[in-house]
Amino acid sequence: MIEVLNSADDLARQKWDVLVPTMGALHAGHQSLIKIAQNYGQKIAVSIFVNPLQFENKNDLHNYPKNIEADLQLAYKAGATAVFLPSEIEIYPGKIEKVDAGLLGDLYEGAARAGHFSGVLTVVKRLFELVKPKFAVFGEKDYQQLFLIKQMVKKFQLPIDIISAPTIRDQNNLALSSRNTRLSEQEKQVANVIFQALSTENLQLASAVLKKQPSFKLDYLNLIDEDSFAEAVPSTKNKRLIVAGWVNQVRLIDNIAIGGR
Ligand code: PAF
């Protein structure tokens, strides 16, 4: 069975090549992150910590799916060396020095979830300090999160390389997420409109596709410059369509690179 580490002292007994940070409820998307981690070293730590700082909605925090036994199995089978399962006090032992997510922290996902990205950056920085890996792997599904983490690494000159991993989708192209378990079969059908829209790779066409599905409540749909996260202009080299919206009570996000990068 996989090794379970709970403290900074446990971690310090070994040197870690790669960290895969998660909040548990692991699925095939996380499995692929762990598999990608194997390209960057042999000692792979998967952290599982449901970070209260990034939940602006305490109900969401309370209802976050937990299944540690299944998580340990999945991490083991995917090829992780150890799972780091810290307590809250291990992560936040004293006064919390929050990382500022800047202006972008308040846009898109940040506009819907005040303080969310500051919470994400704060815990990710702390995990980097504790595990001290050479690499960390994050999924492209949370594209704004990935962008902000890369920006933080640059700003604080953290000695770590961030690896981006492609989004894993189900047979209907719905991006895998721990939240999908809260969707009924009928709601999943509605959610399929998201990829139908993105695969047009065009802002106007995507908007028209989404409008045809009245059960999908759009939050935002934007064409951004991948290198700055500003709105794309015609001369932008690397464009990406990003989208978020609700299917009943479940908030879903997704994105696609324009031109199939
Ligand atoms: O993407 C997630 O699961 C979380 O935001 C992360 C990066 C593990 C930080 O809590």
Side-chain angles (χ1 to χ4, degrees):
M1 208 18 183
I2 198 161
E3 192 176 357
V4 178
L5 313 171
N6 297 110
S7 66
D9 288 346
D10 290 347
L11 282 166
R13 286 191 203 104
Q14 303 175 53
K15 283 209 180 319
W16 299 100
D17 294 316
V18 197
L19 171 66
V20 181
T22 81
M23 296 203 297
L26 303 184
H27 50 64
H30 299 105
Q31 197 172 9
S32 101
L33 302 184
I34 299 169
K35 292 228 146 72
I36 288 172
Q38 285 158 40
N39 298 328
Y40 295 90
Q42 292 187 343
K43 289 283 202 176
I44 298 161
V46 173
S47 62
I48 298 181
F49 179 66
V50 183
N51 173 32
L53 273 196
Q54 70 188 77
F55 286 85
E56 64 301 337
N57 177 335
K58 293 299 158 203
N59 254 348
D60 225 15
L61 170 64
H62 191 71
N63 295 327
Y64 201 81
K66 283 187 192 69
N67 192 345
I68 288 298
E69 280 313 312
D71 287 352
L72 296 181
Q73 285 277 349
L74 187 143
Y76 177 66
K77 283 199 185 136
T81 314
V83 167
F84 177 43
L85 208 58
S87 62
E88 196 173 330
I89 199 77
E90 194 68 41
I91 297 290
Y92 301 124
K95 190 174 171 299
I96 303 173
E97 217 174 289
K98 287 195 186 169
V99 179
D100 182 4
L103 289 179
L104 178 58
D106 293 330
L107 299 177
Y108 307 114
E109 281 312 285
R113 310 181 62 187
H116 168 72
F117 283 120
S118 169
V120 170
L121 296 182
T122 304
V123 79
V124 167
K125 185 160 176 279
R126 178 76 182 131
L127 286 167
F128 289 174
E129 282 161 7
L130 287 169
V131 183
K132 302 185 182 59
K134 295 185 199 117
F135 300 92
V137 187
F138 294 89
E140 282 187 354
K141 187 193 148 258
D142 295 295
Y143 203 76
Q144 191 178 0
Q145 166 174 288
L146 175 65
F147 183 92
L148 286 167
I149 290 169
K150 285 183 180 164
Q151 204 176 52
M152 172 179 78
V153 165
K154 254 194 216 143
K155 180 174 156 193
F156 293 106
Q157 300 184 347
L158 304 177
I160 185 164
D161 281 338
I162 302 300
I163 312 300
S164 355
T167 301
I168 304 297
R169 302 178 178 281
D170 72 8
Q171 66 279 12
N172 294 315
N173 283 319
L174 177 64
L176 294 194
S177 158
S178 309
R179 291 169 183 231
N180 295 2
T181 54
R182 289 161 52 196
L183 294 170
S184 67
E185 280 312 308
Q186 208 182 352
E187 287 169 334
K188 278 191 182 158
Q189 301 262 321
V190 173
N192 289 338
V193 76
I194 299 174
F195 190 76
Q196 286 159 14
L198 289 179
S199 53
T200 64
E201 296 196 17
N202 174 290
L203 186 60
Q204 283 74 32
L205 293 177
S207 167
V209 170
L210 293 175
K211 278 192 185 128
K212 284 197 193 133
Q213 176 47 271
S215 300
F216 179 72
K217 300 280 172 278
L218 181 65
D219 186 350
Y220 62 77
L221 171 70
N222 293 79
L223 188 63
I224 57 131
D225 180 338
E226 272 187 16
D227 304 316
S228 63
F229 233 95
E231 290 282 341
V233 293
S235 62
T236 299
K237 206 167 138 229
N238 299 322
K239 299 188 181 105
R240 191 169 282 259
L241 259 182
I242 58 171
V243 62
W246 295 83
V247 178
N248 289 335
Q249 303 302 310
V250 185
R251 189 159 195 284
L252 297 169
I253 65 173
D254 203 347
N255 64 81
I256 199 168
I258 306 301
R261 272 161 298 111

